[in-house]
Amino acid sequence: MKSMTKKMWFLQCLLLIECYLVLTTEAVVQEKADTAIPVTTLSPPEGNTTFIDGTTWCVAHPGVSQADLQNALDWACGLGMADCREIQEGGLCFNPDTLLSHASYAFNNYYQQNGNSDIACNFGGAATITKNNPSYGKCSYSTSGSVSSSAPPSSKHDLSYMWWKLAVLLLLLYFGS
């Protein structure tokens, strides 16, 4: 009887974990779908991409609305796969904690990783190319697309890792006793 109760407890715990993982996976997929910026653009003819001579950076355009800037930032750090760890709390570029500053860092990271082409610095009109280095203090804006980060990893990944650790712990508790 005791063995049957243990098995039921174990199965209920696994079911709970599975439900959580399914719900969080759906939430992340929905969150990414919500952050997409639908922009209708025509692709340039192949071989017609303009590259800017010299060292350039991509920064947020100061005249853009906060809503447009936030949408573009969300896209850059989400579907655009820019490395935004440095603008998270604890990162070298977190301060100043402004939308314009964070968007500039993310836009530049995306721009550098995507060949420094003028089409990689658009973000629906929220960004512009500059020849003035926007780096400040310990915050360095990359010019090569390779950004090293000293910021802690994203908390979304920490949460799923925690659930896997819990599942392993439950297995050990169940089979260890």
Side-chain angles (χ1 to χ4, degrees):
M1 185 84 169
K2 186 177 179 182
S3 175
M4 186 62 130
T5 305
K6 256 185 167 177
K7 286 181 181 177
M8 289 303 293
W9 177 81
F10 178 73
L11 290 174
Q12 288 174 342
C13 288
L14 283 179
L15 181 61
L16 179 65
I17 290 170
E18 184 178 0
C19 289
Y20 173 78
L21 290 174
V22 167
L23 290 173
T24 57
T25 301
E26 289 175 0
V28 169
V29 169
Q30 182 62 39
E31 178 182 310
K32 286 191 177 193
D34 290 345
T35 61
I37 301 173
V39 178
T40 305
T41 58
L42 299 175
S43 298
E46 209 170 303
N48 195 25
T49 303
T50 305
F51 290 91
I52 309 294
D53 289 334
T55 304
T56 56
W57 295 265
C58 178
V59 295
H61 199 285
V64 175
S65 75
Q66 296 286 301
D68 288 344
L69 218 59
Q70 185 65 59
N71 286 335
L73 172 62
D74 290 344
W75 184 89
C77 293
L79 295 175
M81 298 192 313
D83 182 357
C84 296
R85 292 176 290 179
E86 291 295 351
I87 56 175
Q88 292 177 1
E89 194 165 354
L92 294 175
C93 301
F94 178 74
N95 287 316
D97 184 12
T98 65
L99 185 56
L100 189 68
S101 177
H102 290 184
S104 290
Y105 184 87
F107 294 172
N108 185 66
N109 186 276
Y110 178 86
Y111 171 71
Q112 301 298 334
Q113 289 180 15
N114 288 279
N116 301 63
S117 68
D118 56 351
I119 59 172
C121 183
N122 185 330
F123 298 97
T128 186
I129 295 173
T130 183
K131 290 189 177 197
N132 297 323
N133 186 347
S135 299
Y136 56 91
K138 292 183 180 179
C139 179
S140 177
Y141 279 59
S142 173
T143 57
S144 65
S146 60
V147 178
S148 61
S149 174
S150 64
S154 173
S155 61
K156 286 180 188 173
H157 301 294
D158 291 345
L159 189 57
S160 64
Y161 179 68
M162 179 194 71
W163 279 101
W164 280 112
K165 282 175 63 176
L166 179 61
V168 169
L169 179 63
L170 287 172
L171 286 171
L172 290 174
L173 287 172
Y174 178 76
F175 289 111
S177 55

